[in-house]
Amino acid sequence: MRSILLLFSFLVFAHCDYCGPWIPIDINTIPVAQPDDIWEVSYLVSPLLYCDYLYDFSYLRGYHAGLGLKNLRTGYSFSLNYDATPTFTGALLPVIENNTLIWENFGALFLYNGINDTYWNSFNQVIAKLNSVQFNGFMKFLATANETYPYYNFWAIYPTYPGKPWIENNECFQFVWDCFRELKNLGVQFTVTELKQSFIVMFTPTMPEKLNMSLIENQIAVYKFYYYVESEYKEFGIVGALEILWKIISTGVFFVRADTDYYKVFLDQDYPFDTFYVEVPLP
């Protein structure tokens, strides 16, 4: 497991910027489907943080997912994805100000004109077609996404995988699967039954303990945990933070932030975490 963190550290250290600016569009600018419109739906996958590191994270089975929609009558297309905001790091670590943990583990839906085939280069395949009623119904679902999915949760916690999770993550792939579920409810037929998901799993044989943060001892424990990591990140960057994370994983206890709650996780000492890129059934 340490080799994964060390490789991750090397990749993050070798930072570049390959994509240039991405300009989101307002969902209200997307035209309402006309009665005879047919829309193609494509499942899109790119290497995680591709704009900064190209294919580096694919070696760690790290990917990012979205959907593309194209109007076959007009040729108009757009893509969408759920992402951490304002930063990916903010979903992992808090900022500490005046001895207070300030989290920005928010998530949001982003839409962009067109489907960037250069970016979505790991997988890009049409998997369904929508009629106008289905498309307009799906857009109503998307319009409420930022209220429904306000938090980006990085960690999935399992006793074993495959298996039922103790705590589910909430990130790009989970959002896409919820889109599939909504499309199925609208009567959409898919051309595939499984697609690949990427995720990172923290393993524990015991149910994580949800902490009562009104207790001072829990406040102190969580603060010390993230102060330790955040101070290393502030001084040495992500490489230092990852080295500290490895030391923490070795101790067997991890404090996970999910939405606005904290959980105390006693990690499996033989198999504390892993990354996956595997076939998962559609809803």
Side-chain angles (χ1 to χ4, degrees):
M1 294 304 148
R2 187 174 190 182
S3 61
I4 293 178
L5 281 179
L6 290 175
L7 177 58
F8 183 74
S9 302
F10 171 77
L11 298 178
V12 171
F13 188 72
H15 174 84
C16 297
D17 185 2
Y18 298 99
C19 282
W22 285 70
I23 303 174
I25 60 173
D26 188 329
I27 191 171
N28 295 312
T29 65
I30 296 174
V32 174
Q34 299 304 303
D36 58 345
D37 283 349
I38 299 295
W39 289 78
E40 283 184 340
V41 180
S42 297
Y43 181 53
L44 308 174
V45 180
S46 72
L48 182 64
L49 301 177
Y50 176 79
C51 291
D52 294 325
Y53 308 107
L54 289 181
Y55 299 97
D56 290 346
F57 278 91
S58 64
Y59 302 121
L60 303 176
R61 299 183 289 274
Y63 293 89
H64 179 53
L67 294 176
L69 290 97
K70 181 179 180 180
N71 187 318
L72 295 182
R73 178 178 63 86
T74 66
Y76 173 76
S77 65
F78 67 94
S79 56
L80 64 92
N81 65 273
Y82 181 80
D83 211 345
T85 186
T87 66
F88 185 74
T89 305
L92 300 174
L93 295 174
V95 175
I96 298 178
E97 294 182 3
N98 299 321
N99 296 323
T100 301
L101 303 182
I102 300 175
W103 282 91
E104 292 186 325
N105 59 321
F106 304 118
L109 172 65
F110 295 91
L111 295 89
Y112 302 94
N113 277 320
I115 300 172
N116 188 336
D117 295 332
T118 300
Y119 177 77
W120 299 109
N121 57 66
S122 297
F123 193 88
N124 184 338
Q125 179 178 313
V126 175
I127 59 167
K129 291 183 179 179
L130 315 183
N131 61 35
S132 60
V133 174
Q134 292 166 335
F135 175 83
N136 291 334
F138 184 53
M139 294 305 293
K140 291 180 181 179
F141 166 79
L142 295 179
T144 62
N146 288 336
E147 298 173 10
T148 309
Y149 304 91
Y151 295 103
Y152 186 102
N153 296 323
F154 183 74
W155 299 104
I157 304 176
Y158 281 76
T160 59
Y161 185 82
K164 185 177 180 181
W166 296 117
I167 298 175
E168 290 188 306
N169 56 358
N170 186 56
E171 36 73 81
C172 58
F173 285 92
Q174 290 299 318
F175 180 78
V176 168
W177 255 249
D178 281 356
C179 288
F180 292 156
R181 191 170 291 107
E182 179 65 20
L183 290 171
K184 180 181 178 181
N185 291 339
L186 290 167
V188 174
Q189 300 292 316
F190 297 98
T191 61
V192 295
T193 58
E194 293 184 331
L195 288 166
K196 279 192 171 183
Q197 271 194 28
S198 167
F199 48 95
I200 185 167
V201 172
M202 195 177 288
F203 290 106
T204 175
T206 59
M207 181 182 293
E209 176 190 353
K210 185 178 180 179
L211 297 180
N212 179 354
M213 293 305 291
S214 66
L215 300 178
I216 188 66
E217 57 265 33
N218 288 339
Q219 295 175 26
I220 292 172
V222 169
Y223 178 83
K224 285 184 176 179
F225 178 87
Y226 281 105
Y227 178 84
Y228 189 37
V229 179
E230 199 269 348
S231 61
E232 291 294 315
Y233 174 71
K234 186 179 294 184
E235 184 170 357
F236 299 109
I238 194 70
V239 176
L242 287 168
E243 280 294 314
I244 294 302
L245 281 176
W246 172 252
K247 292 179 182 178
I248 291 170
I249 288 170
S250 299
T251 69
V253 179
F254 202 101
F255 290 93
V256 169
R257 168 90 167 189
D259 292 351
T260 59
D261 298 317
Y262 292 98
Y263 294 84
K264 187 176 185 180
V265 181
F266 292 94
L267 296 170
D268 187 311
Q269 286 298 283
D270 296 323
Y271 191 32
F273 78 98
D274 205 349
T275 57
F276 294 86
Y277 187 46
V278 294
E279 297 282 350
V280 175
L282 272 64

